[in-house]
Amino acid sequence: MANISLRHVCKTFHNGVVAVRDCTLEAAEGEFLVVAGPEGSGKSTLFRLIAGLETPTEGDIYIGGVVVNQLFPQQRDIAMVLPNHVLYPELTVKENLAFRLKMHRMPEAEVERHVQEVAGLLQIDPLLDRKPGALTSMQQQMVMLARAMVQGHKVLLLDEPFVHLDEKLRAQMGKELRELHKRLGITILYATKDQAEAVALGDRIAVMKEGFIQQAGAPEELYASPANQFVAGFLGNPPMNFLNVKVGADGSDYTFTFGKSAVRMPQGWDETGVLKSYVGKNVVLGVRPKDVHDDPAFVEKMEKGVVNAEVEVMESVGGESYLYLTCSGHSITAGVDADAMRQSGEQIQIAFDMEKIKLFDSDTEHTIWR
Ligand code: ADP
Ligand code: MG
């Protein structure tokens, strides 16, 4: 077990691609940290740097308080699982676990000790004499984890380990992994493109885009206080609505105009006064579908957030209903009550919960309000 600390780590490949930029990140001992970001955002490169399969162009990597930049992968006591890893079908589970240790000429007795230890930890002892073909997919995944862990298990790096599993199995494996993490107290770093998986698994999430860590924090924290528009849009499904609005000042309100529609909020809500400098300019207004309401009681109460909209479609999935709306040429998704039956083409009034909106700078995409 160990903590991981990255200080200003950069990786530029020979072809000039900057895969990781100025990455500073801590994973506490025993933490389950999810690195989440779209394809190509640098997750795998970051993991390969930690594992020692790549060398940083700049910066330092610490494992358990020690700089490991100069250490070979096998000296780092790290287990790594990749999605393309497969078990050798003709070998038993035990032989699969022992394979790489034997390749590294580890003495027989020591191999046996390592294999038994990890099999015990992952509770797969009863499977040791079976071949992979005689295992369920879940058991195969556990054996895959075990095989990585026999080579060292201070830290477990899991790079999209279950992408090839269907959604149900993936959720089940996620649950197993959380339990394993709790039981063993091991430090886990887990890479995924899937925001829902990130939220379900992580004690904390580090959101990556274009090689840069946009924000790291507890899932609730990132959801409630995203540092920028990217993080705001990445977490949550359906994603946050974004509207390009023009900021105005009218009496004691700020107005946010898009097309023929406008919403307002009291200037007094802007404690820092940051919005003053945006009057007359465009900003991005973000509002989550769950904060767009169509029930008359809310619409009446939140008069500053009311706009007219046309229903495109109503969709219900898994007990949740969504209205896909157009409003002055802008698309807006609203999470609504399932019993609010709406027809396509219907003209309705909706209200944004103005206390929940976010405002982002149009150029930097940084959060400027809330
Ligand atoms: P992710 O795992 O988030 O999909 P990667 O770390 O695999 O992202 O890739 C980040 C960027 O680095 C991508 O643009 C990718 O094409 C590039 N890249 C990855 N590995 C190499 C390499 N060995 N040589 C050159 N470019 C690479
Ligand atoms: Mg990857």
Side-chain angles (χ1 to χ4, degrees), residues 15-16 109 149 221 238 248 254 273 293 308 350:
N15 60 1
M149 286 170 69
E221 184 188 333
Y254 282 121
H293 301 254
N308 295 315
I350 52 170

Short mmCIF file of all heavy atoms in Angstrom, two decimals, residues 15-16 109 149 221 238 248 254 273 293 308 350:
data_model
loop_
_atom_site.label_atom_id
_atom_site.label_comp_id
_atom_site.label_asym_id
_atom_site.label_seq_id
_atom_site.Cartn_x
_atom_site.Cartn_y
_atom_site.Cartn_z
N ASN A 15 6.87 12.24 -31.51
CA ASN A 15 6.16 12.86 -32.64
C ASN A 15 5.58 14.23 -32.29
O ASN A 15 4.87 14.82 -33.09
CB ASN A 15 5.05 11.93 -33.14
CG ASN A 15 4.02 11.62 -32.05
OD1 ASN A 15 4.12 12.12 -30.94
ND2 ASN A 15 3.03 10.83 -32.39
N GLY A 16 5.89 14.72 -31.09
CA GLY A 16 5.44 16.06 -30.72
C GLY A 16 4.11 16.09 -29.99
O GLY A 16 3.68 17.14 -29.52
N ALA A 109 9.58 -21.81 -4.80
CA ALA A 109 8.90 -21.67 -3.51
C ALA A 109 8.32 -20.26 -3.35
O ALA A 109 7.24 -20.08 -2.79
CB ALA A 109 9.87 -21.96 -2.36
N MET A 149 -1.73 -8.64 -9.65
CA MET A 149 -1.32 -8.36 -8.27
C MET A 149 -0.19 -9.25 -7.77
O MET A 149 0.48 -8.89 -6.80
CB MET A 149 -2.53 -8.43 -7.33
CG MET A 149 -3.44 -7.23 -7.50
SD MET A 149 -5.01 -7.38 -6.65
CE MET A 149 -4.51 -7.30 -4.95
N GLU A 221 -18.65 16.95 -5.12
CA GLU A 221 -18.01 18.27 -5.19
C GLU A 221 -17.90 18.73 -6.65
O GLU A 221 -18.21 19.86 -6.99
CB GLU A 221 -16.64 18.15 -4.54
CG GLU A 221 -15.86 19.43 -4.41
CD GLU A 221 -14.43 19.12 -3.93
OE1 GLU A 221 -14.22 18.11 -3.23
OE2 GLU A 221 -13.53 19.91 -4.28
N PRO A 238 -28.84 13.04 -18.36
CA PRO A 238 -28.33 13.78 -19.50
C PRO A 238 -27.48 14.97 -19.06
O PRO A 238 -27.66 15.47 -17.96
CB PRO A 238 -29.60 14.26 -20.22
CG PRO A 238 -30.75 13.84 -19.40
CD PRO A 238 -30.29 13.08 -18.24
N GLY A 248 -27.06 41.33 -19.31
CA GLY A 248 -27.51 42.72 -19.24
C GLY A 248 -27.82 43.07 -17.80
O GLY A 248 -27.83 42.21 -16.92
N TYR A 254 -29.69 41.09 -12.96
CA TYR A 254 -28.94 40.78 -14.17
C TYR A 254 -29.87 40.02 -15.10
O TYR A 254 -30.67 39.20 -14.63
CB TYR A 254 -27.71 39.91 -13.88
CG TYR A 254 -26.56 40.67 -13.28
CD1 TYR A 254 -26.05 40.32 -12.03
CD2 TYR A 254 -25.97 41.72 -13.98
CE1 TYR A 254 -24.99 41.02 -11.48
CE2 TYR A 254 -24.91 42.43 -13.43
CZ TYR A 254 -24.43 42.07 -12.19
OH TYR A 254 -23.39 42.77 -11.65
N GLY A 273 -19.25 40.37 -7.09
CA GLY A 273 -19.35 41.46 -8.06
C GLY A 273 -18.71 41.14 -9.40
O GLY A 273 -18.53 42.03 -10.24
N HIS A 293 -37.75 23.04 -14.78
CA HIS A 293 -39.03 22.51 -14.29
C HIS A 293 -40.18 22.93 -15.19
O HIS A 293 -40.16 24.02 -15.75
CB HIS A 293 -39.31 23.02 -12.87
CG HIS A 293 -38.25 22.63 -11.89
ND1 HIS A 293 -38.43 21.65 -10.95
CD2 HIS A 293 -36.98 23.08 -11.71
CE1 HIS A 293 -37.32 21.52 -10.22
NE2 HIS A 293 -36.43 22.38 -10.67
N ASN A 308 -40.67 30.49 -22.50
CA ASN A 308 -41.58 29.67 -23.30
C ASN A 308 -40.78 28.66 -24.09
O ASN A 308 -39.69 28.97 -24.58
CB ASN A 308 -42.39 30.54 -24.26
CG ASN A 308 -43.31 31.48 -23.49
OD1 ASN A 308 -43.97 31.06 -22.54
ND2 ASN A 308 -43.32 32.74 -23.89
N ILE A 350 -41.56 26.85 -19.04
CA ILE A 350 -40.64 26.15 -18.14
C ILE A 350 -39.94 27.21 -17.29
O ILE A 350 -39.93 28.39 -17.63
CB ILE A 350 -39.58 25.32 -18.92
CG1 ILE A 350 -38.87 26.20 -19.96
CG2 ILE A 350 -40.21 24.10 -19.56
CD1 ILE A 350 -37.66 25.54 -20.59
#
